[in-house]
């Protein structure tokens, strides 16, 4: 039996590929998760995020590439040899053991003399001391979830992996657990790698988000940066919503490039464009746009589009959502906060224009 | 089959969804649905049981062998036990051994079916069930051929000079082998059902929490399959203890007879043996019930769902 490897440091994936018989789940993926970070792997189902996680846990072995923690190469080692623990999506609690014995399972296997005491201390951290004697089936979903977290945390892993841990909880409990997990992570200071398909969850909790699609990382960075300046069409649409318009770079004007699309000349800051020439997709977030009943005119030239036909107006309380059909530019969404009651006078069928602040537009690869 | 895996492990009230309040009409419907089963039990289980109990207490009409009169004669039980206690010991011993060997054979098979078989799972399942399509008696007779002195097993063992006595039939080995074979599916199926229901993620969690393959099996997989093991051992032990076909067809005329053989001969071969046969039946039932009760009390996994 191989030895437990007490590695310390950043989690590093080097050119990791995982192929199954008829498809490639993870395709030449490289990334570094700094020690102590709360890292989220975000993507739609089937994008390879869970496979990536399982390779870090040792539950799958990469077809090629390496998995390291610090300088220690963990590739090929078994799950029980790694300083890594997983919070499974279905919690996977041992049904025949009490909550306390579930949590003490890891320390016991590693020969800790005070396994029960460690379990009790960790149960206190997740505020479940009063349920220590129960069996998992006697707990609610949220409580089971916290047992699963405690069972992994008690081992003080170098990296804690969370596989859609909140997927089975209802919305209210999800919000509570998001805050709770964030608190625990801050308190214990461990590296958390959190896999989720919920973009809001990823952005709320993580310091760094990696958006995955088709086995590759599309873009990685702080949530605010990713949201403000997506670099690919996929990220622009998966992380929030975007109005996107395909065009090509026509001209430059100092710090700006001019994108020609749908009979409009749109201005875009060079620093916010993924390409300086050729084809580009021009994008702007719905909540960064405003709707007008009249042509905003020359003052907004390059930062507006229209005229279009208003298709739908929906009042959501906080905001009003407009759906506008702009000829050759498709359907645009506009979210306006309800600051100004007079403005709510548009009706479907009206002719409208859309404008935005030039600093909010972005350009992504087509 | 999965219902069998629940023996000793009732789904106790841990369900999170509250059952809707049963209406008056719903209650009536439940009783009506139970009625055919209850009538069946009354006519074909309770009535014969009462009849058997009265027979076990009858006395023989003096001077008229084969005739009885209604009585409350517990002496029948004493006579039955004095005469047949070795049969009881053999019954429990052979059934216990058969249960043990069936477990040893069935667990790896059920484990392989649940976790390793992949596309072969269906084929394996058919192989386990297929013998039921042939008569029990016929299969036991086939075992007589397999274990006969000229058969392959004995020939090979004799060639290697490792078989004391030189033959298997007419010995307890043949009886235990027959019992093991005949009740093996009843061990395999509940264990398979309980393993198959286990979430593979739970077994992965064992590995994730520093347990190697063997430790994970010992501390996670095996305990999780205990309801199936419990059901399987009961389903094997109970019928095996009452069986007489294997001892009749594979065993010897004297030294390997079980209680079932005693009951059979008292009923069909001994003139005036009815009360003794009935007393033997009741004693066997009581012994098995007591053993099962103790066993379930000791190993019952009620919390385990």
């Amino acid at each position: 039996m191989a030895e437990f490897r007490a590695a310390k440091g950043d989690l590093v994936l080097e050119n990791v590929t995982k192929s199954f018989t008829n498809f490639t789940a993870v395709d030449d993926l490289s990334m570094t998760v700094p020690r102590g970070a709360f890292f989220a792997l975000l993507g739609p189902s089937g994008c390879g995020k869970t496979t990536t996680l399982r390779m870090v846990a040792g539950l799958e072995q990469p077809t090629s590439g390496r998995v390291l923690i610090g300088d220690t190469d963990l590739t090929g080692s078994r799950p029980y040899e790694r300083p890594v623990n997983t919070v499974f999506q279905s919690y996977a609690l041992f049904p025949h053991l009490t909550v306390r014995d579930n949590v003490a399972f890891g320390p016991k296997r590693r020969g800790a003399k005070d396994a029960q005491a460690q379990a009790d201390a960790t149960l206190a951290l997740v505020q479940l001391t009063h349920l220590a004697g129960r069996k998992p089936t006697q707990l609610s979903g949220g409580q089971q979830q916290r047992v699963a977290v405690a069972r992994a945390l008690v081992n003080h892993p170098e990296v804690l992996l969370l596989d859609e841990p909140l997927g089975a909880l209802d919305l209210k409990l999800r919000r509570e657990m998001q805050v709770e997990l964030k608190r625990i992570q801050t308190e214990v200071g461990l590296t958390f790698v959190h896999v989720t398909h919920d973009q809001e969850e990823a952005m709320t909790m993580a310091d760094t988000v990696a958006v995955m699609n088709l086995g590759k990382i599309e873009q990685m960075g702080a949530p605010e940066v990713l949201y403000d300046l997506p670099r690919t069409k996929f990220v622009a649409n998966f992380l929030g919503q975007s109005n996107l318009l395909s065009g090509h770079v026509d001209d430059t004007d100092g710090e700006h490039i001019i994108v020609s699309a749908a009979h409009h000349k749109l201005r875009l800051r060079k620093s916010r464009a993924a390409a300086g020439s050729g084809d580009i997709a021009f994008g702007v977030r719905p909540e960064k746009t405003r709707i007008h009943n009249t042509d905003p005119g020359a003052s907004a030239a390059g930062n507006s589009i229209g005229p279009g036909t208003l298709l739908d107006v929906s009042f959501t309380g906080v905001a009003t959502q407009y759906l506008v059909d702009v000829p050759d530019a498709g359907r645009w969404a506009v979210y306006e906060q309800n600051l100004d009651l007079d403005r709510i006078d548009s009706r479907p069928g009206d002719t409208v224009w859309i404008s935005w602040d030039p600093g909010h537009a972005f350009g992504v690869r087509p | 089959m999965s219902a069998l895996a629940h023996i000793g492990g009732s789904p106790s009230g841990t369900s999170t969804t509250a059952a809707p309040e049963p209406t008056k009409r719903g209650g009536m419907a439940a009783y009506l649905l139970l009625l055919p089963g209850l009538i069946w039990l009354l006519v074909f289980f309770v009535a014969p049981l009462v009849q058997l109990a009265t027979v076990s207490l009858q006395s023989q009409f003096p001077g008229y062998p084969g005739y009885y009169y209604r009585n409350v004669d517990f002496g029948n039980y004493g006579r039955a036990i004095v005469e047949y206690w070795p049969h009881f010991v053999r019954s429990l011993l052979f059934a216990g051994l058969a249960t043990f060997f069936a477990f040893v054979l069935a667990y790896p098979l059920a484990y392989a079916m649940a976790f390793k078989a992949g596309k072969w799972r269906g084929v394996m399942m058919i192989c386990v069930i297929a013998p039921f399509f042939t008569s029990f008696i016929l299969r036991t007779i086939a075992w007589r051929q397999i274990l006969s002195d000229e058969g392959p097993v004995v020939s090979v063992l004799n060639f290697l000079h490792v078989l004391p006595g030189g033959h298997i039939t007419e010995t307890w080995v043949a009886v235990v082998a027959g019992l093991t074979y005949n009740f093996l599916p009843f061990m395999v199926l509940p264990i398979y059902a309980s393993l198959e229901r286990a979430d593979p993620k739970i077994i992965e969690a064992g590995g994730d929490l520093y347990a190697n393959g063997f430790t994970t099996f010992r501390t996670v997989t095996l305990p999780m399959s205990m309801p199936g093991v419990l059901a399987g051992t009961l389903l094997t032990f109970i019928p095996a203890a009452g069986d007489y076909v294997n001892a009749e067809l594979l065993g010897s005329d004297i030294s390997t007879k079980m209680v079932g053989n005693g009951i059979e001969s008292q009923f069909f071969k001994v003139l005036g043996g009815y009360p003794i046969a009935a007393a033997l039946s009741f004693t066997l039932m009581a012994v098995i019930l007591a053993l099962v009760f103790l066993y379930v009390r000791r190993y019952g996994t009620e919390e385990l769902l």
Side-chain angles (χ1 to χ4, degrees), chain A residues 338-362:
Chain A
N338 293 323
L339 298 170
D340 208 346
L341 283 172
D342 313 343
R343 288 187 55 81
I344 315 171
D345 52 4
S346 301
R347 298 273 177 278
D350 287 0
T351 299
V352 292
W353 285 260
I354 300 165
S355 76
W356 54 86
D357 183 297
H360 286 145
F362 55 84

Side-chain angles (χ1 to χ4, degrees), chain A residues 126-202:
Chain A
V126 297
Q127 295 159 356
L128 279 182
T129 308
H130 58 296
L131 298 175
R134 296 241 188 123
K135 291 281 174 73
T137 46
Q138 298 169 303
L139 305 182
S140 71
Q143 291 165 339
Q144 290 187 28
Q145 214 276 322
R146 282 190 283 169
V147 177
V149 171
R151 188 178 67 171
L153 270 181
V154 69
N155 305 294
H156 302 288
E158 189 58 20
V159 178
L160 184 79
L161 306 173
L162 301 116
D163 185 7
E164 306 247 6
L166 310 179
L169 304 180
D170 62 56
L171 193 67
K172 187 166 169 287
L173 209 52
R174 259 175 113 97
R175 294 277 172 273
E176 276 174 36
M177 282 308 298
Q178 286 174 8
V179 176
E180 180 85 356
L181 278 177
K182 186 76 194 158
R183 172 184 74 82
I184 291 169
Q185 197 263 341
T186 317
E187 211 165 307
V188 295
L190 301 175
T191 311
F192 276 36
V193 179
H194 181 151
V195 157
T196 180
H197 64 267
D198 181 338
Q199 43 110 359
E200 200 179 320
E201 186 173 298

Side-chain angles (χ1 to χ4, degrees), chain A residues 1 4 54 57 59 79-80 82-86 88 90 92-96 105-106 109-110 135 137-138 151 155, chain B residues 14-16 199 201-213 215-216 218-221 223-224 303-305:
Chain A
M1 187 188 125
F4 175 71
R54 289 172 62 82
L59 298 167
Y80 53 85
R82 302 187 181 202
V84 171
N85 292 108
T86 308
F88 291 89
S90 52
L93 299 176
F94 304 125
H96 57 291
F105 189 93
R109 298 287 88 74
R110 292 170 71 181
K135 291 281 174 73
T137 46
Q138 298 169 303
R151 188 178 67 171
N155 305 294
Chain B
T14 52
S15 165
T16 46
D199 180 0
K201 288 268 162 49
I202 296 178
I203 293 158
E204 280 187 350
D208 188 63
L209 294 162
Y210 314 110
N212 62 26
T215 312
T216 300
R218 187 174 58 78
T219 54
V220 180
T221 318
M224 282 208 312
E303 309 91 325
L304 219 167
L305 206 148

Side-chain angles (χ1 to χ4, degrees), chain A residues 24-308:
Chain A
T24 300
V26 177
D27 187 7
D28 194 27
L29 182 144
S30 295
M31 66 177 191
T32 299
V33 180
R35 193 168 188 222
F38 199 132
F39 188 89
L41 269 176
L42 173 68
S45 54
C47 73
K49 58 192 192 299
T50 295
T51 307
T52 306
L53 197 79
R54 289 172 62 82
M55 285 191 286
V56 177
L59 298 167
E60 304 275 0
Q61 294 296 344
T63 312
S64 65
R66 299 201 303 161
V67 177
L68 304 100
I69 289 179
D71 300 324
T72 313
D73 188 351
L74 296 176
T75 321
S77 65
R78 313 287 270 159
Y80 53 85
E81 295 161 3
R82 302 187 181 202
V84 171
N85 292 108
T86 308
V87 177
F88 291 89
Q89 183 170 13
S90 52
Y91 314 140
L93 299 176
F94 304 125
H96 57 291
L97 299 179
T98 61
V99 166
R100 182 184 287 114
D101 287 338
N102 259 282
V103 178
F105 189 93
K108 260 189 205 155
R109 298 287 88 74
R110 292 170 71 181
K113 293 275 182 292
D114 58 341
Q116 298 287 339
Q118 284 190 36
D120 285 335
T122 312
L123 282 171
L125 181 75
V126 297
Q127 295 159 356
L128 279 182
T129 308
H130 58 296
L131 298 175
R134 296 241 188 123
K135 291 281 174 73
T137 46
Q138 298 169 303
L139 305 182
S140 71
Q143 291 165 339
Q144 290 187 28
Q145 214 276 322
R146 282 190 283 169
V147 177
V149 171
R151 188 178 67 171
L153 270 181
V154 69
N155 305 294
H156 302 288
E158 189 58 20
V159 178
L160 184 79
L161 306 173
L162 301 116
D163 185 7
E164 306 247 6
L166 310 179
L169 304 180
D170 62 56
L171 193 67
K172 187 166 169 287
L173 209 52
R174 259 175 113 97
R175 294 277 172 273
E176 276 174 36
M177 282 308 298
Q178 286 174 8
V179 176
E180 180 85 356
L181 278 177
K182 186 76 194 158
R183 172 184 74 82
I184 291 169
Q185 197 263 341
T186 317
E187 211 165 307
V188 295
L190 301 175
T191 311
F192 276 36
V193 179
H194 181 151
V195 157
T196 180
H197 64 267
D198 181 338
Q199 43 110 359
E200 200 179 320
E201 186 173 298
M203 289 196 285
T204 321
M205 296 170 76
D207 320 319
T208 310
V209 176
V211 181
M212 272 188 86
N213 186 33
L214 303 173
K216 287 177 179 295
I217 291 181
E218 290 266 333
Q219 194 179 349
M220 195 162 109
E224 314 84 71
V225 176
L226 249 61
Y227 187 84
D228 181 56
L229 195 55
R231 284 305 190 184
T232 71
K233 252 184 171 166
F234 179 82
V235 176
N237 279 321
F238 193 76
L239 218 58
Q241 250 189 297
S242 295
N243 294 310
L244 283 176
L245 187 54
S246 292
H248 64 271
V249 180
D250 230 19
D251 201 358
T252 49
D253 171 19
E255 286 304 296
H256 292 83
I257 53 173
I258 309 297
V259 178
S260 164
H263 323 302
H264 288 76
K265 301 271 184 206
L266 303 170
R267 285 160 67 83
L268 185 61
R269 281 191 193 157
K270 276 181 181 165
S271 59
R272 293 181 63 81
S277 60
D279 288 339
I280 197 164
F282 181 92
V284 63
R285 299 279 187 191
E287 76 278 9
K288 305 277 170 64
T289 56
R290 284 176 68 79
I291 201 153
H292 305 272
N293 290 322
T294 53
D295 192 339
S299 64
N303 307 316
S304 64
I305 195 165

Side-chain angles (χ1 to χ4, degrees), chain B residues 55 154 157 233:
Chain B
V55 170
V154 171
L157 291 177
T233 47

